[in-house]
Amino acid sequence: MSRFTITTPIFYVNAPPHVGHAYTVVAADVLARFHRLRGDDVFFLTGTDEHGEKIAEAARAASTTPQALADSVAQSFRETWKLLDVTNDDFIRTTEHRHEVGVVHALRLLKERDVVYQQSYRGLYCTGCEKFLTEKDLDDTGKCPLHNRVPELVEETNWFFRLSTFLPHLKEIIERDEVRISPRERKNEVLGLLRQGLEDFSISRDRARVPWGIPLPFDATQTCYVWVDALFNYLTALGYGSPDTSKLQQFWPADVHVIGLDILKFHAVYWPAILLALGEKLPREIAVHGFFTVNGQKISKSLGNVIDPLELVKRYGSDGTRFLLLSQFPFGVSGDVSVVRFDEQYDAALANTIGNLVSRTVALLQKFSSGRIPNAAIDRSVENEIREYNLPFRDVWGGEPMEDDIEQLVHNPLRLSSSLNKFAEIWAPWHEPDAMKRDAALRSLAAGVAEVGILAEPILPKTSAAIQRAFGIVGSKPPAPGTPVAATDPPILFPRAKDL
Ligand code: MSP
C-alpha cells in the first residue's frame, strides 16, 4: 500500500459549475477511486478560488459582496460534486483562515529568501483570464479572444518573482520527467516555453485597485496576485504554515495535479519554480486534459451554451453523466461537446451494453438456475477476457501515461460487457437443451458480470454497487457457485433514453 495524493484546479466562484469543470473533477475522482480500490491511502483535494478582480467584478454585477458570492457559489460546487458522487477528501476555499495563514507564511519566506523584488510594470490585463496578455494574444480588434473584451492597461509597481533564477533547473527537471507532464505534447509545449525564455512574473497587485485578496505580509499596499494565492491551495489544504505538519508530511508532494490545458503555464512553470524557491518537494505529475467547446464556442454564460451538470444528472443519473463526460474524448484531447448525441451514446454504451448484459444475466439465472450461480467451470475465453480487462487492477501501473490509465478505467467495463453480450448471443443459453452446457454459459456470464461490477467502480460507482449487491460480491472477490443472485437494485440499471 502506498499513498496517493491527487488534486483538481480550484474553481473560480464567479459562476456555478459547468461541464468543463465537471470533467476535471470526475477524471480526478476516477483515479482517486481506483487508487482506493488498490488499497492506497488516498488524499483527493478540490476547492474554490475566491479572491481577485474577477470575483470582485462578478459580485458587483450581482449587487452582492465578494464573500457572499463566494459562499453561495462554493456551496453549489460542493453540492454538484456530491451529486456526481465525487469522493474528495477535502474542499479548500481560498477565503478560509487555514489558507490565508499558509499563504502569508509562504510569502514571508519568499521575501526572506530574496526571490521577490519591486518593479514598476505596464501591461494589458484581462480580468477574465486573471493574467497579463501581450499584443500577440489579442484578436484583430484588440480584444482578448477568450473573453471578448478589451484588456485594461495597468501601470503600477508590484513585487516580482525571480523566475529566471529557476529556469535552467526547471528545464532539467521537466526534461528528466522528475515532474512528469502528460500527455507528451504538453511536456513539449512547456519545454518550448522554457526555451523561449520567460519573464519574471508579478506576485502582487496594487491594493487600491485590487482590494479583494490577501495583503502581502511585507507590503500592505499590495494584494497577493490571485494565481499565486490559488496555487498555494495545494499546500495549505495540508496544513502548510500551521504548527501541525503531519498531513503535509504524509501527503506532499502530490502524485498528480489534474488540470485543463488552459492553465498549463501556471502549473508547470510558475508553481514548480515557487516550490523550488520555498525548498518544498515538487509534484510528481501534471496530467493535462483538453479544453471543450459547446456548439463550437467557448462555454460561457453570455453565449448561453452552458450545460449544467445537474441537468445531465437529472436525465442520465450520476453514473450516466460521469460516463458521458469522460467518454467524449480521450484524456488530453480537446473538442466540441454535442449534447444532442448524448442520448444515443448513453443508449449504446450504458442501456444496450452494460444494462442489457446485467438484466439478461440476472433473468437467465432466475429462469434456469433457481436464481443461483451454477456449479460449472468458467469458460476459458471468458476468463481470458476478464484477465485482459482487469489488467490495471492486478498490475502496478508505474510509468504508464495518465491518459492510458483513464482510458482503461472509463472503457474497460464496457469492453468486457460488450464481449460478454457477444458470448451470450453465441451460446444462446435460452435455447440450449443441454443443462451442463447451459450451466457453463450461465456461470461464465455471471463471472463476467461480477467482474464488470468490480471494474466499473471508478467510473460508474452506483452501477458497480448495484451489481456487487446483486451478485453477492464482498471485498472485490468473485462470487462462488451457489451464491444467490438477486434482482439488481434499481431493477433496470439504465432505462433507455426514450424512457428517461
Ligand atoms: N481558478 C483557476 C485555477 C486555479 S488552480 C490553482 C481556474 N479556474 S476555472 O474555474 O476557470 O477553471 C478550472 C479548470 O476547469 C480548468 O483548468 C479546466 O481544468 C476546467 N475547465 C474549465 N472550463 C473548461 C472547458 N471548457 N473544458 C474543459 N475543461 C475546462 O482556472
Side-chain angles (χ1 to χ4, degrees):
M1 178 171 125
S2 49
R3 64 95 174 142
F4 183 74
T5 301
I6 182 163
T7 69
T8 73
I10 51 171
F11 301 98
Y12 287 129
V13 288
N14 58 316
H18 62 56
V19 284
H21 307 130
Y23 181 92
T24 309
V25 169
V26 174
D29 187 58
V30 168
L31 290 166
R33 283 174 176 273
F34 167 67
H35 279 269
R36 282 194 205 102
L37 274 182
R38 286 243 318 252
D40 292 345
D41 191 6
V42 171
F43 182 74
F44 170 20
L45 176 67
T46 189
T48 39
D49 188 352
E50 307 189 351
H51 287 136
E53 287 173 81
K54 186 183 178 95
I55 308 308
E57 193 176 81
R60 267 195 304 278
S63 312
T64 183
T65 62
Q67 188 66 59
L69 176 72
D71 288 347
S72 111
V73 180
Q75 190 52 24
S76 81
F77 271 93
R78 276 186 208 269
E79 282 164 13
T80 305
W81 301 158
K82 204 157 175 227
L83 288 167
L84 276 166
D85 290 320
V86 171
T87 56
N88 52 297
D89 297 294
D90 199 350
F91 188 102
I92 182 129
R93 299 180 54 189
T94 54
T95 52
E96 281 176 282
H97 181 64
R98 60 172 174 157
H99 177 72
E100 297 189 8
V101 166
V103 172
V104 165
H105 178 75
L107 291 169
R108 277 210 181 98
L109 268 182
L110 293 178
K111 174 76 172 49
E112 271 167 38
R113 297 186 173 187
D114 197 29
V115 286
V116 291
Y117 62 94
Q118 264 178 314
Q119 186 180 281
S120 69
Y121 186 79
R122 190 182 145 95
L124 295 169
Y125 196 77
C126 173
T127 306
C129 296
E130 286 285 21
K131 65 179 183 191
F132 283 102
L133 302 180
T134 59
E135 295 286 347
K136 70 175 182 340
D137 295 323
L138 307 180
D139 66 15
D140 303 342
T141 60
K143 288 181 177 167
C144 160
L146 264 182
H147 296 95
N148 195 33
R149 60 194 262 178
V150 178
E152 192 187 344
L153 181 66
V154 173
E155 186 167 9
E156 56 189 39
T157 299
N158 299 139
W159 287 85
F160 278 70
F161 178 82
R162 295 185 203 282
L163 181 63
S164 45
T165 317
F166 300 94
L167 290 180
H169 189 189
L170 192 58
K171 188 161 159 275
E172 273 173 36
I173 286 172
I174 291 171
E175 273 168 352
R176 290 203 297 255
D177 288 336
E178 280 168 40
V179 173
R180 194 168 66 170
I181 299 172
S182 62
R184 191 148 288 272
E185 309 94 273
R186 301 277 91 90
K187 173 178 170 179
N188 292 338
E189 183 182 331
V190 174
L191 288 173
L193 283 173
L194 294 175
R195 264 195 300 276
Q196 268 173 36
L198 287 163
E199 292 184 1
D200 291 353
F201 61 91
S202 62
I203 62 150
S204 71
R205 298 288 180 264
D206 190 333
R207 197 152 182 81
R209 193 173 59 81
V210 186
W212 179 238
I214 301 174
L216 291 193
F218 49 87
D219 180 355
T221 69
Q222 299 278 304
T223 301
C224 179
Y225 171 35
V226 63
W227 257 104
V228 172
D229 175 346
L231 286 164
F232 282 126
N233 90 87
Y234 301 130
L235 284 177
T236 59
L238 294 169
Y240 181 82
S242 81
D244 180 1
T245 56
S246 54
K247 269 198 157 171
L248 209 54
Q249 278 166 21
Q250 192 184 356
F251 290 113
W252 189 260
D255 292 272
V256 191
H257 289 317
V258 175
I259 61 164
L261 54 77
D262 52 325
I263 55 177
L264 180 60
K265 185 159 116 185
F266 290 102
H267 282 82
V269 179
Y270 294 176
W271 179 228
I274 293 172
L275 289 167
L276 285 173
L278 291 172
E280 295 295 334
K281 292 190 182 129
L282 305 185
R284 299 200 170 109
E285 176 159 8
I286 299 171
V288 190
H289 66 73
F291 207 71
F292 307 137
T293 50
V294 169
N295 307 327
Q297 286 178 302
K298 177 187 145 53
I299 305 175
S300 108
K301 210 156 73 177
S302 52
L303 293 171
N305 64 352
V306 174
I307 305 169
D308 179 355
L310 294 182
E311 291 300 315
L312 297 178
V313 173
K314 266 189 217 144
R315 182 161 181 81
Y316 303 109
S318 62
D319 281 9
T321 306
R322 291 165 68 95
F323 178 80
L324 287 168
L325 288 175
L326 287 208
S327 61
Q328 293 304 308
F329 311 100
F331 191 85
V333 174
S334 299
D336 195 50
V337 176
S338 166
V339 190
V340 293
R341 291 207 309 267
F342 276 13
D343 272 10
E344 196 187 306
Q345 292 167 348
Y346 164 93
D347 271 349
L350 300 176
N352 298 343
T353 306
I354 294 199
N356 177 32
L357 171 73
V358 175
S359 62
R360 85 201 307 189
T361 305
V362 171
L364 285 167
L365 289 166
Q366 280 166 350
K367 184 155 180 203
F368 296 108
S369 180
S370 333
R372 285 178 186 270
I373 296 184
N375 193 357
I378 301 171
D379 182 85
R380 195 47 81 67
S381 39
V382 168
E383 269 185 342
N384 288 341
E385 294 284 306
I386 291 176
R387 197 164 309 121
E388 180 175 345
Y389 293 123
N390 80 5
L391 198 72
F393 285 75
R394 281 187 287 116
D395 295 348
V396 177
W397 269 347
E400 284 290 317
M402 182 64 56
E403 57 272 28
D404 283 1
D405 300 353
I406 301 232
E407 205 275 340
Q408 295 203 42
L409 292 170
V410 172
H411 293 282
N412 281 4
L414 278 159
R415 292 184 180 126
L416 179 57
S417 300
S418 165
S419 304
L420 292 165
N421 275 326
K422 282 188 199 120
F423 284 122
E425 296 300 328
I426 295 166
W427 295 330
W430 47 91
H431 289 322
E432 178 57 62
D434 180 334
M436 290 231 314
K437 281 193 181 161
R438 193 172 59 219
D439 276 359
L442 293 185
R443 167 87 165 104
S444 304
L445 288 176
V449 172
E451 187 63 33
V452 169
I454 295 165
L455 294 186
E457 205 283 335
I459 178 71
L460 304 170
K462 284 203 166 78
T463 305
S464 161
I467 296 175
Q468 297 203 34
R469 266 196 310 274
F471 283 72
I473 299 169
V474 186
S476 301
K477 294 244 172 357
T483 305
V485 172
T488 49
D489 161 29
I492 298 175
L493 288 179
F494 294 105
R496 300 229 147 58
K498 68 175 172 41
D499 301 322
L500 290 172

